[in-house]
Amino acid sequence: MSPLPEIPSAVRRVAMISVHTSPLEQPGTGDAGGMNVYVLETARRLGERGVEVEIFTRRTSAASAEVVPVAPGVLVRHIDAGPYEGLSKDDLPGQLCAFAAGVMRLVAISPEGHYDLVHSHYWLSGQVGWLAADRWNVPLVHTMHTMAKVKNRSLAQGDRPEPAGREIGEEQVVRAASLLVANTEIEARELVELYDADPARVRVVPPGVDLVTFAPGDQQAAREALELPQDAELVLFVGRIQALKGPDVLLRAAAEMVRRDPERRRRLIVAVIGGPSGSGLEKPRALQALARELGIADIVQFVPPVPRQELAQWFRASDAVAVPSRSESFGLVALEAQACGATVVAADVGGLPRAVGSAGVLVQGHDPAVWAERLLAVLDSTPDERKALVDRAVEHAQRYGWERTTDELLAVYERACRDARTDVADDAGSGRLLELPLAEAVIP
């Protein structure tokens, strides 16, 4: 995974594919999460660099305009593929043909060479991106975000595994992509070991954080703005509510905390910010039921997903942010929390060690008793210890601005385009007949 050399700019226009979730959706519920943030933030910054970005996503509402400008040089294009509502992510493989046809039809009026590159996000988009890149004769860059084989190794009890069809689809995309973007070195190794990816075609580009929105601030002022008690001990969970993200681990840990110290109940608040997603949609009130069963319903607040500015206030108001995921490709929430000066207590899985670094607390396993112990250690830390944690968190997050991510992503794009030009030149020089895609061979 060697660093990419600097090369002359060759990228003017990029087609991003995000089939199952729109970057315009509010993260934290349904299928909207860190990937939405990633797509939107990188597209915006690419636009600032003079690279035009068109994001293709499935229309989920009749009210959605066909084209939505979201920033200078950045458009979101909605594609009709199946009914607007009522389709889960599991239903979408059956709509990939319709989605791809919509993209091809829309782009058919554009001149040849309109796009320099396709960047697909998640395996469903990779299937469409594979076809689009082949049809337009441009490189395909793909980011997995999550992988079925990795998720299936870390299932929560009672959670259903990802289907074999997804694993096969991911393997196909890995083979088809010109370059693969991994969030962390761990993810890069998983691509090689689990999917037989060519190491020479894998590049590590860590996600970033909006350091303007997510910045340190006064805890008391944040609590006043959120109408929270100043003397509260506030522990947050932020994310989609599903077994994979482990919110149940935090609730069980909170029950253990008040069992050990009943007086703590008076001031402890556990705030769960997010909405049901994935398997959590089958029992959308299961977490509330668990809080009642554990006898802590009085200290748990369930908050629907909030805008990013308000989310930053929650992070500033917190004493600890728990990220007890069972699998996590990176863990953007951890980085956003640290950028606000929050102390993150996270599971030692996937990309979280990279996201958290040495600035937070990593927990082995998901034993609620162990999590209670680690959280209590943070809550009971001295003012000097707390300040040191805050300073380390902010310093760590400052290394991960979206500008850095965009720099490295652009280098990947440039490399993919340069390699494509080299391949064409080699084929032409060798005298080999260049094979056209089937569609170009039969359509005048």
Side-chain angles (χ1 to χ4, degrees):
M1 320 308 176
S2 57
L4 294 169
E6 292 188 8
I7 53 181
S9 177
V11 182
R12 300 159 299 138
R13 188 177 290 110
V14 173
M16 282 194 185
I17 313 290
S18 180
V19 172
H20 80 282
T21 180
S22 169
L24 303 179
E25 294 294 327
Q26 167 69 52
T29 191
D31 292 320
M35 192 183 96
N36 298 62
V37 177
Y38 184 104
V39 171
L40 188 59
E41 294 291 345
T42 54
R44 281 175 170 165
R45 283 157 179 79
L46 286 167
E48 292 170 358
R49 309 288 183 90
V51 178
E52 295 180 32
V53 180
E54 297 182 22
I55 305 168
F56 296 86
T57 191
R58 195 180 79 86
R59 191 198 305 271
T60 57
S61 170
S64 299
E66 288 189 8
V67 182
V68 180
V70 295
V74 181
L75 301 176
V76 171
R77 296 190 179 275
H78 289 109
I79 304 296
D80 289 324
Y84 297 148
E85 299 176 356
L87 286 183
S88 72
K89 187 165 60 176
D90 294 340
D91 298 321
L92 291 182
Q95 298 303 319
L96 293 183
C97 183
F99 187 92
V103 173
M104 295 297 108
R105 193 179 305 115
L106 188 64
V107 180
I109 61 174
S110 301
E112 184 178 353
H114 184 68
Y115 300 109
D116 299 298
L117 175 136
V118 175
H119 187 176
S120 54
H121 297 270
Y122 192 70
W123 79 275
L124 293 169
S125 304
Q127 290 280 319
V128 176
W130 175 17
L131 173 64
D134 187 61
R135 178 65 181 84
W136 301 333
N137 197 27
V138 298
L140 172 64
V141 172
H142 181 70
T143 305
M144 284 293 209
H145 293 283
T146 64
M147 293 179 278
K149 293 182 181 181
V150 175
K151 291 178 71 173
N152 286 344
R153 294 189 306 182
S154 309
L155 291 175
Q157 185 176 2
D159 207 6
R160 65 177 185 272
E162 294 294 317
R166 175 178 171 182
E167 293 189 1
I168 294 169
E170 289 177 341
E171 290 169 349
Q172 292 171 330
V173 173
V174 166
R175 290 195 298 270
S178 305
L179 289 175
L180 295 158
V181 175
N183 289 327
T184 64
E185 291 79 3
I186 290 175
E187 187 180 348
R189 286 198 299 271
E190 290 168 342
L191 281 166
V192 173
E193 295 170 2
L194 300 179
Y195 290 86
D196 199 27
D198 178 358
R201 294 192 298 110
V202 180
R203 294 291 182 268
V204 176
V205 179
V209 61
D210 179 352
L211 295 171
V212 175
T213 300
F214 297 99
D218 183 73
Q219 185 185 61
Q220 290 186 344
R223 292 187 172 192
E224 183 176 348
L226 296 170
E227 298 182 349
L228 294 169
Q230 291 292 342
D231 65 344
E233 292 183 331
L234 177 61
V235 180
L236 296 185
F237 169 90
V238 177
R240 290 172 289 154
I241 298 176
Q242 59 182 127
L244 186 73
K245 299 295 184 180
D248 59 298
V249 176
L250 174 56
L251 263 58
R252 295 181 191 280
E256 176 65 14
M257 291 162 68
V258 297
R259 186 194 67 78
R260 294 185 186 184
D261 181 5
E263 280 297 310
R264 202 155 222 129
R265 182 185 293 272
R266 183 187 62 80
R267 59 187 184 278
L268 182 62
I269 297 176
V270 177
V272 178
I273 303 176
S277 174
S279 60
L281 291 168
E282 297 172 5
K283 296 181 179 179
R285 304 288 296 177
L287 209 58
Q288 287 87 339
L290 177 62
R292 292 192 298 271
E293 177 187 325
L294 295 170
I296 57 169
D298 57 318
I299 65 172
V300 181
Q301 294 185 12
F302 291 93
V303 181
V306 297
R308 293 161 65 74
Q309 294 284 354
E310 185 177 342
L311 179 59
Q313 289 283 58
W314 278 98
F315 287 144
R316 295 181 192 114
S318 72
D319 292 295
V321 176
V323 188
S325 304
R326 293 178 168 90
S327 177
E328 196 72 67
S329 63
F330 185 72
L332 197 55
V333 161
L335 201 56
E336 291 173 343
Q338 288 180 313
C340 294
T343 299
V344 172
V345 181
D348 189 2
V349 300
L352 282 170
R354 173 73 180 264
V356 174
S358 60
V361 179
L362 291 173
V363 183
Q364 298 287 333
H366 296 84
D367 183 343
V370 176
W371 276 82
E373 181 180 322
R374 299 293 187 274
L375 287 166
L376 286 170
V378 171
L379 296 179
D380 292 338
S381 58
T382 67
D384 287 345
E385 291 170 334
R386 183 72 58 87
K387 183 179 184 305
L389 287 169
V390 169
D391 291 345
R392 287 208 307 269
V394 173
E395 181 183 1
H396 175 73
Q398 289 289 329
R399 305 172 194 163
Y400 288 91
W402 282 114
E403 293 300 329
R404 168 184 167 174
T405 302
T406 307
D407 287 342
E408 297 183 11
L409 196 57
L410 264 175
V412 173
Y413 290 175
E414 301 281 6
R415 177 61 175 268
C417 290
R418 187 182 70 174
D419 287 352
R421 293 195 304 270
T422 300
D423 290 344
V424 170
D426 287 347
D427 285 344
S430 68
R432 291 197 300 269
L433 179 64
L434 296 179
E435 294 184 4
L436 293 175
L438 181 58
E440 292 185 359
V442 300
I443 298 176

